Amino acid sequence: MAEVDKKKVVIAALVGGVVFCLIVLLIDYILGRGFSWQRLGFYYVFATIMYGFLTYRNFKKHKK
C-alpha cells in the first residue's frame, strides 16, 4: 500500500480552506451579503475537510 505524506495533505487542506474562504468572501461582497463569522467558520471547516480528503485521495492514487 502506498504511503502518503500527511504533512503535505494537512498543508494543502489548510491552504485550500483559506483560498475557498477568500473566494466566498469575494462573492459575498459582490452580491452584497453581510459578513458572518459563523458562515465563514463553517465554510472553512467544510472546505478544509473536503480539500484534505481530495488531496489524500489524489496523492494516494499517484503513489501507486
Side-chain angles (χ1 to χ4, degrees):
M1 180 171 253
E3 189 65 30
V4 177
D5 187 13
K6 290 179 176 82
K7 184 178 178 181
K8 287 183 180 181
V9 172
V10 169
I11 291 172
L14 293 174
V15 170
V18 169
V19 170
F20 182 79
C21 283
L22 290 174
I23 291 169
V24 167
L25 282 174
L26 179 66
I27 291 172
D28 283 348
Y29 178 75
I30 290 171
L31 295 177
R33 295 183 189 161
F35 179 77
S36 170
W37 282 106
Q38 290 84 14
R39 184 173 53 217
L40 187 64
F42 170 75
Y43 283 147
Y44 180 73
V45 170
F46 177 74
T48 302
I49 291 169
M50 290 306 298
Y51 277 106
F53 174 70
L54 293 174
T55 302
Y56 176 77
R57 280 189 47 209
N58 190 26
F59 284 170
K60 191 172 180 180
K61 179 180 173 183
H62 288 318
K63 287 276 187 171
K64 283 186 178 182

